[in-house]
Amino acid sequence: MSAQALLQIRDLKVAYGGIQAVKGVSLEVHSGELVALIGANGAGKTSSLKAITGLLPWRDGEAHYAGQSIRGLAPHQMVARGLAMVPEGRGVFTRMSIVENLLMGAYTRKDGTDSVQADIDRMFGIFPRLKERASQLAGTLSGGEQQMLAMARALMGHPKLLLLDEPSMGLSPIMVEKIFEVVRSVHAQGTTILLVEQNARLALESASRAYVMESGQITMSGNARQMLDDPRVRAAYLGEEAAA
Ligand code: ATP
């Protein structure tokens, strides 16, 4: 095992009844990295993230975070250790306002209300659109606004590792650009990120390293830039003709 891995997954298996969705996935995320996990619909990306964060039971495998085993921990125990997930489909509290959602994201923190308020202001700086709608119920926000809120809520807990599941899903091209700008800037400010994305081009352009997942298995891994130039990746995930 490599000494600095913040998150290390070994041979993760997840099944729904008799159907194996994740068939022995191993991956590592090091402190300071932005790692992308790309792959087609149904490849098992979401199932992998859900198992890592304790939302789905494991069939087999091992998970270490900051050197400690985390397999079998509940989601709130993960959050308390600094590992936060922004789920696909956002998962905001629809009947709470934006500010109430942000406060929920700070519930594990032990510092005072002043610093929580300072962070709310910081989130409003990153996402001015949320500021304009601070008291609006989250359920009435647009999809893109809910995505911003979900990310802001996760950041309120000062995660060390942020797991993002398809942040671009269902968003307009401008909103996708905006969300990726935020992902890159959160990363640049020191948060380690594991990013699951269908938008392979943007994911590979943003990431330092990447894994490709197909039918429940990792089939390629390496430097994200090199993968952008890889003919197999270009043909399968970037919509380009395969090289002869
Ligand atoms: P997408 O990009 O479409 O979200 P994904 O790579 O995240 O795909 P998963 O959502 O992990 O893929 O799904 C992996 C496989 O597991 C798929 O074949 C899916 O149909 C199946 N699956 C997911 N959730 C369930 C469930 N609750 N019950 C049964 N099968 C499921």
Side-chain angles (χ1 to χ4, degrees):
M1 160 168 158
S2 120
Q4 313 95 314
L6 182 60
L7 178 71
Q8 182 163 57
I9 306 300
R10 280 281 163 267
D11 206 25
L12 165 64
K13 293 184 182 141
V14 178
Y16 300 99
I19 299 170
Q20 282 247 343
V22 181
K23 304 169 186 165
V25 159
S26 297
L27 58 83
E28 286 181 0
V29 182
H30 296 254
S31 260
E33 279 193 310
L34 196 176
V35 174
L37 176 59
I38 62 171
N41 285 119
K45 307 179 298 294
T46 297
S47 301
S48 300
L49 282 198
K50 283 188 174 168
I52 293 168
T53 50
L55 290 165
L56 271 181
W58 293 50
R59 226 1 110 78
D60 201 2
E62 283 173 38
H64 286 86
Y65 169 75
Q68 292 187 320
S69 175
I70 52 166
R71 180 176 162 179
L73 292 187
H76 71 272
Q77 294 173 303
M78 301 287 185
V79 173
R81 284 165 170 74
L83 191 155
M85 173 162 166
V86 179
E88 193 178 27
R90 290 116 203 183
V92 297
F93 300 109
T94 54
R95 298 172 71 94
M96 290 185 180
S97 71
I98 287 180
V99 168
E100 287 165 342
N101 267 275
L102 294 178
L103 288 172
M104 293 297 286
Y107 82 98
T108 53
R109 286 171 50 179
K110 295 177 179 64
D111 46 1
T113 44
D114 283 357
S115 76
V116 170
Q117 185 55 52
D119 267 352
I120 290 179
D121 291 341
R122 195 166 62 89
M123 292 309 141
F124 285 164
I126 301 173
F127 303 104
R129 210 181 259 250
L130 297 182
K131 183 176 184 181
E132 293 161 19
R133 294 168 170 74
S135 55
Q136 189 173 326
L137 290 184
T140 64
L141 296 171
S142 76
E145 290 161 356
Q146 289 191 28
Q147 182 64 58
M148 291 178 187
L149 179 57
M151 208 178 292
R153 189 184 61 190
L155 292 173
M156 288 294 293
H158 291 182
K160 286 196 193 69
L161 174 62
L162 192 56
L163 307 183
L164 297 175
D165 195 1
E166 304 247 5
S168 78
M169 194 177 69
L171 302 187
S172 67
I174 287 177
M175 205 58 101
V176 170
E177 285 294 338
K178 170 77 190 161
I179 286 287
F180 266 83
E181 252 172 53
V182 171
V183 169
R184 288 191 287 256
S185 109
V186 165
H187 173 241
Q189 285 164 38
T191 307
T192 305
I193 297 178
L194 176 58
L195 167 71
V196 162
E197 245 312 316
Q198 286 263 353
N199 189 326
R201 180 179 301 281
L202 265 177
L204 292 176
E205 283 171 358
S206 306
S208 29
R209 240 166 17 87
Y211 294 89
V212 175
M213 193 166 178
E214 286 170 23
S215 306
Q217 287 171 314
I218 302 289
T219 51
M220 281 179 74
S221 67
N223 177 287
R225 294 271 151 188
Q226 283 170 4
M227 279 205 193
L228 265 177
D229 294 330
D230 188 292
R232 288 167 297 170
V233 173
R234 295 180 84 92
Y237 300 105
L238 302 177
E240 293 181 14
E241 303 244 327

Short mmCIF file of all heavy atoms in Angstrom, two decimals, residues 12-53:
data_model
loop_
_atom_site.label_atom_id
_atom_site.label_comp_id
_atom_site.label_asym_id
_atom_site.label_seq_id
_atom_site.Cartn_x
_atom_site.Cartn_y
_atom_site.Cartn_z
N LEU A 12 -13.11 -3.85 -4.31
CA LEU A 12 -14.50 -3.58 -3.92
C LEU A 12 -15.48 -4.34 -4.81
O LEU A 12 -15.39 -4.27 -6.04
CB LEU A 12 -14.77 -2.07 -4.03
CG LEU A 12 -16.23 -1.61 -4.02
CD1 LEU A 12 -16.90 -1.95 -2.69
CD2 LEU A 12 -16.32 -0.10 -4.28
N LYS A 13 -16.40 -5.04 -4.15
CA LYS A 13 -17.47 -5.72 -4.89
C LYS A 13 -18.82 -5.30 -4.33
O LYS A 13 -18.99 -5.27 -3.09
CB LYS A 13 -17.32 -7.24 -4.81
CG LYS A 13 -16.09 -7.73 -5.53
CD LYS A 13 -15.97 -9.25 -5.54
CE LYS A 13 -14.68 -9.63 -6.25
NZ LYS A 13 -13.99 -10.74 -5.63
N VAL A 14 -19.74 -4.97 -5.22
CA VAL A 14 -21.09 -4.60 -4.81
C VAL A 14 -22.06 -5.38 -5.68
O VAL A 14 -21.85 -5.51 -6.89
CB VAL A 14 -21.36 -3.08 -5.02
CG1 VAL A 14 -22.79 -2.72 -4.64
CG2 VAL A 14 -20.37 -2.23 -4.22
N ALA A 15 -23.11 -5.92 -5.07
CA ALA A 15 -24.11 -6.66 -5.85
C ALA A 15 -25.50 -6.24 -5.43
O ALA A 15 -25.74 -5.85 -4.29
CB ALA A 15 -23.92 -8.16 -5.64
N TYR A 16 -26.39 -6.24 -6.41
CA TYR A 16 -27.82 -6.05 -6.13
C TYR A 16 -28.46 -7.42 -6.32
O TYR A 16 -28.60 -7.87 -7.45
CB TYR A 16 -28.42 -5.04 -7.10
CG TYR A 16 -27.78 -3.67 -7.02
CD1 TYR A 16 -26.81 -3.27 -7.93
CD2 TYR A 16 -28.14 -2.77 -6.01
CE1 TYR A 16 -26.24 -2.01 -7.86
CE2 TYR A 16 -27.56 -1.50 -5.93
CZ TYR A 16 -26.61 -1.14 -6.86
OH TYR A 16 -26.04 0.10 -6.78
N GLY A 17 -28.81 -8.08 -5.24
CA GLY A 17 -29.28 -9.45 -5.36
C GLY A 17 -28.20 -10.27 -6.04
O GLY A 17 -27.04 -10.26 -5.63
N GLY A 18 -28.55 -10.96 -7.14
CA GLY A 18 -27.57 -11.80 -7.82
C GLY A 18 -26.76 -11.03 -8.84
O GLY A 18 -25.86 -11.60 -9.47
N ILE A 19 -27.05 -9.76 -9.03
CA ILE A 19 -26.36 -9.01 -10.09
C ILE A 19 -25.16 -8.27 -9.54
O ILE A 19 -25.29 -7.42 -8.67
CB ILE A 19 -27.32 -8.01 -10.77
CG1 ILE A 19 -28.47 -8.77 -11.40
CG2 ILE A 19 -26.57 -7.15 -11.80
CD1 ILE A 19 -29.60 -7.88 -11.88
N GLN A 20 -23.97 -8.62 -10.04
CA GLN A 20 -22.74 -7.95 -9.61
C GLN A 20 -22.58 -6.64 -10.37
O GLN A 20 -22.37 -6.66 -11.59
CB GLN A 20 -21.55 -8.84 -9.95
CG GLN A 20 -21.35 -9.98 -8.98
CD GLN A 20 -20.07 -9.81 -8.18
OE1 GLN A 20 -19.20 -9.04 -8.55
NE2 GLN A 20 -19.96 -10.52 -7.08
N ALA A 21 -22.70 -5.52 -9.67
CA ALA A 21 -22.56 -4.22 -10.32
C ALA A 21 -21.12 -3.73 -10.28
O ALA A 21 -20.65 -3.06 -11.19
CB ALA A 21 -23.47 -3.19 -9.65
N VAL A 22 -20.40 -4.08 -9.22
CA VAL A 22 -18.99 -3.69 -9.07
C VAL A 22 -18.21 -4.97 -8.78
O VAL A 22 -18.49 -5.67 -7.82
CB VAL A 22 -18.82 -2.66 -7.93
CG1 VAL A 22 -17.36 -2.25 -7.79
CG2 VAL A 22 -19.70 -1.43 -8.17
N LYS A 23 -17.24 -5.26 -9.66
CA LYS A 23 -16.63 -6.59 -9.66
C LYS A 23 -15.15 -6.58 -9.28
O LYS A 23 -14.32 -7.09 -10.02
CB LYS A 23 -16.78 -7.22 -11.05
CG LYS A 23 -18.21 -7.30 -11.53
CD LYS A 23 -18.26 -7.67 -13.00
CE LYS A 23 -19.68 -7.62 -13.52
NZ LYS A 23 -19.71 -7.63 -15.00
N GLY A 24 -14.82 -5.91 -8.19
CA GLY A 24 -13.42 -5.93 -7.77
C GLY A 24 -12.67 -4.68 -8.19
O GLY A 24 -11.68 -4.75 -8.92
N VAL A 25 -13.15 -3.55 -7.72
CA VAL A 25 -12.53 -2.27 -8.08
C VAL A 25 -11.47 -1.88 -7.06
O VAL A 25 -11.69 -1.96 -5.85
CB VAL A 25 -13.61 -1.16 -8.17
CG1 VAL A 25 -13.00 0.22 -8.02
CG2 VAL A 25 -14.36 -1.27 -9.50
N SER A 26 -10.31 -1.49 -7.57
CA SER A 26 -9.24 -0.97 -6.71
C SER A 26 -8.87 0.42 -7.21
O SER A 26 -8.70 0.61 -8.42
CB SER A 26 -8.00 -1.87 -6.76
OG SER A 26 -8.32 -3.15 -6.26
N LEU A 27 -8.81 1.36 -6.30
CA LEU A 27 -8.36 2.70 -6.69
C LEU A 27 -7.80 3.44 -5.49
O LEU A 27 -8.06 3.07 -4.35
CB LEU A 27 -9.49 3.50 -7.36
CG LEU A 27 -10.79 3.77 -6.64
CD1 LEU A 27 -10.67 4.97 -5.72
CD2 LEU A 27 -11.89 4.05 -7.66
N GLU A 28 -7.02 4.46 -5.81
CA GLU A 28 -6.39 5.26 -4.76
C GLU A 28 -6.58 6.74 -5.06
O GLU A 28 -6.55 7.14 -6.22
CB GLU A 28 -4.87 5.03 -4.74
CG GLU A 28 -4.45 3.73 -4.17
CD GLU A 28 -2.95 3.58 -4.16
OE1 GLU A 28 -2.23 4.52 -4.60
OE2 GLU A 28 -2.48 2.53 -3.68
N VAL A 29 -6.76 7.50 -4.01
CA VAL A 29 -6.76 8.95 -4.15
C VAL A 29 -5.76 9.49 -3.13
O VAL A 29 -5.85 9.19 -1.95
CB VAL A 29 -8.15 9.57 -3.90
CG1 VAL A 29 -8.11 11.08 -4.10
CG2 VAL A 29 -9.20 8.94 -4.82
N HIS A 30 -4.79 10.27 -3.63
CA HIS A 30 -3.78 10.83 -2.74
C HIS A 30 -4.17 12.24 -2.33
O HIS A 30 -4.87 12.93 -3.07
CB HIS A 30 -2.41 10.84 -3.45
CG HIS A 30 -1.93 9.46 -3.74
ND1 HIS A 30 -0.92 8.86 -3.05
CD2 HIS A 30 -2.35 8.55 -4.65
CE1 HIS A 30 -0.72 7.64 -3.51
NE2 HIS A 30 -1.59 7.43 -4.49
N SER A 31 -3.66 12.65 -1.19
CA SER A 31 -3.92 14.01 -0.71
C SER A 31 -3.56 15.02 -1.78
O SER A 31 -2.47 14.96 -2.36
CB SER A 31 -3.05 14.30 0.51
OG SER A 31 -3.80 14.14 1.65
N GLY A 32 -4.49 15.95 -2.05
CA GLY A 32 -4.23 17.01 -3.01
C GLY A 32 -4.59 16.68 -4.44
O GLY A 32 -4.57 17.55 -5.30
N GLU A 33 -4.95 15.42 -4.71
CA GLU A 33 -5.29 15.05 -6.09
C GLU A 33 -6.73 15.41 -6.44
O GLU A 33 -7.60 15.51 -5.57
CB GLU A 33 -5.15 13.54 -6.28
CG GLU A 33 -3.74 13.06 -6.51
CD GLU A 33 -3.71 11.61 -7.00
OE1 GLU A 33 -4.37 10.74 -6.39
OE2 GLU A 33 -3.02 11.36 -8.00
N LEU A 34 -6.97 15.55 -7.73
CA LEU A 34 -8.33 15.54 -8.27
C LEU A 34 -8.36 14.34 -9.22
O LEU A 34 -7.72 14.37 -10.27
CB LEU A 34 -8.64 16.84 -9.03
CG LEU A 34 -10.12 17.17 -9.34
CD1 LEU A 34 -10.24 18.54 -9.99
CD2 LEU A 34 -10.84 16.14 -10.14
N VAL A 35 -9.06 13.30 -8.80
CA VAL A 35 -9.07 12.06 -9.57
C VAL A 35 -10.45 11.89 -10.21
O VAL A 35 -11.47 12.05 -9.53
CB VAL A 35 -8.77 10.85 -8.65
CG1 VAL A 35 -8.92 9.54 -9.42
CG2 VAL A 35 -7.36 10.97 -8.09
N ALA A 36 -10.47 11.59 -11.50
CA ALA A 36 -11.74 11.38 -12.20
C ALA A 36 -11.98 9.89 -12.38
O ALA A 36 -11.06 9.11 -12.63
CB ALA A 36 -11.70 12.07 -13.56
N LEU A 37 -13.24 9.52 -12.25
CA LEU A 37 -13.68 8.15 -12.55
C LEU A 37 -14.73 8.27 -13.64
O LEU A 37 -15.81 8.83 -13.41
CB LEU A 37 -14.28 7.52 -11.28
CG LEU A 37 -14.88 6.12 -11.37
CD1 LEU A 37 -13.85 5.10 -11.86
CD2 LEU A 37 -15.42 5.69 -10.00
N ILE A 38 -14.35 7.85 -14.85
CA ILE A 38 -15.28 8.00 -15.97
C ILE A 38 -15.73 6.62 -16.45
O ILE A 38 -15.13 5.60 -16.10
CB ILE A 38 -14.66 8.80 -17.15
CG1 ILE A 38 -13.44 8.09 -17.72
CG2 ILE A 38 -14.27 10.21 -16.70
CD1 ILE A 38 -12.92 8.74 -19.02
N GLY A 39 -16.79 6.61 -17.25
CA GLY A 39 -17.31 5.34 -17.77
C GLY A 39 -18.73 5.52 -18.24
O GLY A 39 -19.39 6.49 -17.89
N ALA A 40 -19.20 4.55 -19.01
CA ALA A 40 -20.53 4.64 -19.61
C ALA A 40 -21.63 4.48 -18.56
O ALA A 40 -21.36 4.11 -17.41
CB ALA A 40 -20.67 3.56 -20.68
N ASN A 41 -22.87 4.72 -18.97
CA ASN A 41 -24.02 4.49 -18.10
C ASN A 41 -24.00 3.04 -17.62
O ASN A 41 -23.77 2.13 -18.40
CB ASN A 41 -25.34 4.67 -18.87
CG ASN A 41 -25.64 6.13 -19.12
OD1 ASN A 41 -25.73 6.55 -20.25
ND2 ASN A 41 -25.78 6.90 -18.07
N GLY A 42 -24.25 2.88 -16.33
CA GLY A 42 -24.38 1.53 -15.79
C GLY A 42 -23.06 0.83 -15.54
O GLY A 42 -23.04 -0.36 -15.20
N ALA A 43 -21.94 1.53 -15.67
CA ALA A 43 -20.62 0.90 -15.48
C ALA A 43 -20.37 0.52 -14.01
O ALA A 43 -19.54 -0.34 -13.71
CB ALA A 43 -19.52 1.82 -15.98
N GLY A 44 -21.08 1.19 -13.09
CA GLY A 44 -20.89 0.88 -11.68
C GLY A 44 -20.23 2.01 -10.89
O GLY A 44 -19.81 1.82 -9.75
N LYS A 45 -20.17 3.19 -11.48
CA LYS A 45 -19.48 4.32 -10.83
C LYS A 45 -20.23 4.77 -9.57
O LYS A 45 -19.64 4.91 -8.49
CB LYS A 45 -19.35 5.50 -11.80
CG LYS A 45 -18.70 5.13 -13.14
CD LYS A 45 -18.60 6.30 -14.09
CE LYS A 45 -19.92 6.90 -14.50
NZ LYS A 45 -20.78 6.02 -15.32
N THR A 46 -21.55 5.00 -9.72
CA THR A 46 -22.34 5.44 -8.57
C THR A 46 -22.36 4.38 -7.48
O THR A 46 -22.23 4.70 -6.29
CB THR A 46 -23.79 5.76 -9.03
OG1 THR A 46 -23.73 6.85 -9.95
CG2 THR A 46 -24.67 6.15 -7.86
N SER A 47 -22.49 3.13 -7.88
CA SER A 47 -22.52 2.05 -6.89
C SER A 47 -21.20 2.04 -6.10
O SER A 47 -21.20 1.81 -4.89
CB SER A 47 -22.73 0.70 -7.57
OG SER A 47 -23.94 0.70 -8.29
N SER A 48 -20.09 2.29 -6.78
CA SER A 48 -18.79 2.32 -6.09
C SER A 48 -18.75 3.45 -5.07
O SER A 48 -18.37 3.24 -3.91
CB SER A 48 -17.65 2.52 -7.10
OG SER A 48 -17.63 1.47 -8.03
N LEU A 49 -19.16 4.65 -5.49
CA LEU A 49 -19.15 5.79 -4.56
C LEU A 49 -20.06 5.54 -3.37
O LEU A 49 -19.72 5.84 -2.23
CB LEU A 49 -19.61 7.07 -5.26
CG LEU A 49 -18.65 7.82 -6.16
CD1 LEU A 49 -19.15 9.24 -6.40
CD2 LEU A 49 -17.24 7.86 -5.60
N LYS A 50 -21.24 4.98 -3.65
CA LYS A 50 -22.18 4.74 -2.56
C LYS A 50 -21.63 3.72 -1.56
O LYS A 50 -21.84 3.85 -0.36
CB LYS A 50 -23.52 4.24 -3.11
CG LYS A 50 -24.37 5.36 -3.70
CD LYS A 50 -25.73 4.80 -4.05
CE LYS A 50 -26.67 5.90 -4.51
NZ LYS A 50 -27.89 5.33 -5.11
N ALA A 51 -20.93 2.72 -2.06
CA ALA A 51 -20.35 1.74 -1.14
C ALA A 51 -19.24 2.40 -0.31
O ALA A 51 -19.17 2.21 0.91
CB ALA A 51 -19.79 0.55 -1.92
N ILE A 52 -18.43 3.22 -0.96
CA ILE A 52 -17.32 3.87 -0.25
C ILE A 52 -17.86 4.74 0.88
O ILE A 52 -17.30 4.78 1.98
CB ILE A 52 -16.46 4.72 -1.23
CG1 ILE A 52 -15.73 3.80 -2.21
CG2 ILE A 52 -15.45 5.59 -0.47
CD1 ILE A 52 -15.09 4.54 -3.39
N THR A 53 -18.98 5.43 0.64
CA THR A 53 -19.51 6.34 1.67
C THR A 53 -20.52 5.67 2.60
O THR A 53 -21.18 6.34 3.38
CB THR A 53 -20.17 7.58 1.03
OG1 THR A 53 -21.07 7.16 0.02
CG2 THR A 53 -19.14 8.49 0.42
#
